[in-house]
Amino acid sequence: MTLKEKIAEKAKPVEIALAKYLKIREPQKLYKATAHIPMAGGKRLRPVMALITCEMVGGNSNKAIPFAAALEAIHNFTLVHDDVMDDDDLRHGVAACHTIYGLSTAILAGDTLFSYAFEMITDCEVSSDIKSDLVQNVAYTVRKIAEGQQMDLDFEERETVAPAEYLEMVRLKTSILFGSAAYGGARIGGADARKALELRQMAIEVGLGFQ
């Protein structure tokens, strides 16, 4: 089995969870737009990172599935809004959400994915203290992603960008969500905050390499 196949196999429970959460309901246009990009497929690297780190610290990764699905919702929320900002027509070979459902509905779809993520986190079978920690961590992460996106937009108006600035933009826009995945997975698995932060930093470095 190739690495790609192993990742896909690991992600199967997350695929099932996403299909459940993102089922089509009224108003159908909104929920079809919401499901459009996430259900079109993807590598699911961030959810898999959460499941693996949960297991690394001795936890049951089944408990981390709602959190893993939440991360995929967050990731896809950023993609939908990114395509709107960049006016891109395609996302990994799939028509961008706004090209099918319109600009306004695409923005609402991104907002819906963002909201869904926190609903998913509340479904995690963990203590209220851990659940609060997960919510705080993900909220912080999304704010940092926004900072990275703004840096990316600002760079488009500049003639030069220093390597350190570029790496910081990548860390915020991409890598930090890998870090959130590892942190949350570890906390769900029973790790203390110190150990979870160590794994978070490891995953941020992985995210930099991925980008």
Side-chain angles (χ1 to χ4, degrees):
M1 185 180 290
T2 66
L3 177 60
K4 185 176 180 180
E5 290 170 338
K6 288 180 180 179
I7 291 173
E9 182 67 24
K10 193 71 176 176
K12 279 184 178 179
V14 179
E15 299 286 356
I16 294 170
L18 284 171
K20 180 189 75 172
Y21 284 116
L22 301 180
K23 65 183 179 181
I24 308 303
R25 62 195 75 185
E26 296 295 338
Q28 288 199 15
K29 184 177 181 180
L30 171 62
Y31 287 101
K32 286 180 178 179
T34 300
H36 175 66
I37 293 298
M39 298 313 296
K43 294 180 284 293
R44 313 302 194 205
L45 296 178
R46 296 151 191 85
V48 168
M49 175 70 77
L51 300 181
I52 289 174
T53 51
C54 182
E55 293 174 356
M56 283 175 63
V57 299
N60 179 355
S61 62
N62 287 333
K63 291 186 176 181
I65 290 171
F67 178 74
L71 294 174
E72 192 65 14
I74 291 290
H75 175 55
N76 280 273
F77 139 69
T78 67
L79 299 183
V80 171
H81 280 189
D82 190 55
D83 288 341
V84 168
M85 284 181 267
D86 293 343
D87 196 22
D88 287 334
D89 293 336
L90 291 173
R91 168 62 61 179
H92 300 314
V94 177
C97 185
H98 67 276
T99 65
I100 298 177
Y101 298 100
L103 188 63
S104 296
T105 297
I107 293 171
L108 289 174
D111 293 344
T112 301
L113 284 167
F114 175 76
S115 302
Y116 257 141
F118 292 96
E119 291 184 42
M120 296 174 193
I121 292 172
T122 63
D123 285 341
C124 291
E125 295 182 4
V126 293
S127 69
S128 58
D129 287 346
I130 296 298
K131 199 172 291 186
S132 176
D133 191 23
L134 297 176
V135 168
Q136 183 179 35
N137 181 265
V138 170
Y140 169 82
T141 298
V142 174
R143 179 164 60 83
K144 290 300 175 179
I145 291 172
E147 291 179 11
Q149 178 66 8
Q150 186 61 56
M151 289 178 71
D152 196 10
L153 293 171
D154 291 346
F155 290 167
E156 293 177 5
E157 300 175 1
R158 293 168 50 180
E159 292 185 3
T160 61
V161 175
E165 290 178 303
Y166 175 78
L167 287 174
E168 177 63 5
M169 181 271 290
V170 171
R171 186 183 73 83
L172 293 172
K173 188 175 175 180
T174 301
S175 301
I176 199 167
L177 192 55
F178 282 91
S180 183
Y183 181 86
R187 292 293 275 152
I188 293 168
D192 61 23
R194 182 190 62 79
K195 182 64 176 179
L197 286 170
E198 290 175 354
L199 288 169
R200 176 181 180 271
Q201 186 56 41
M202 173 277 296
I204 287 174
E205 299 297 332
V206 169
L208 284 170
F210 168 75
Q211 185 64 21

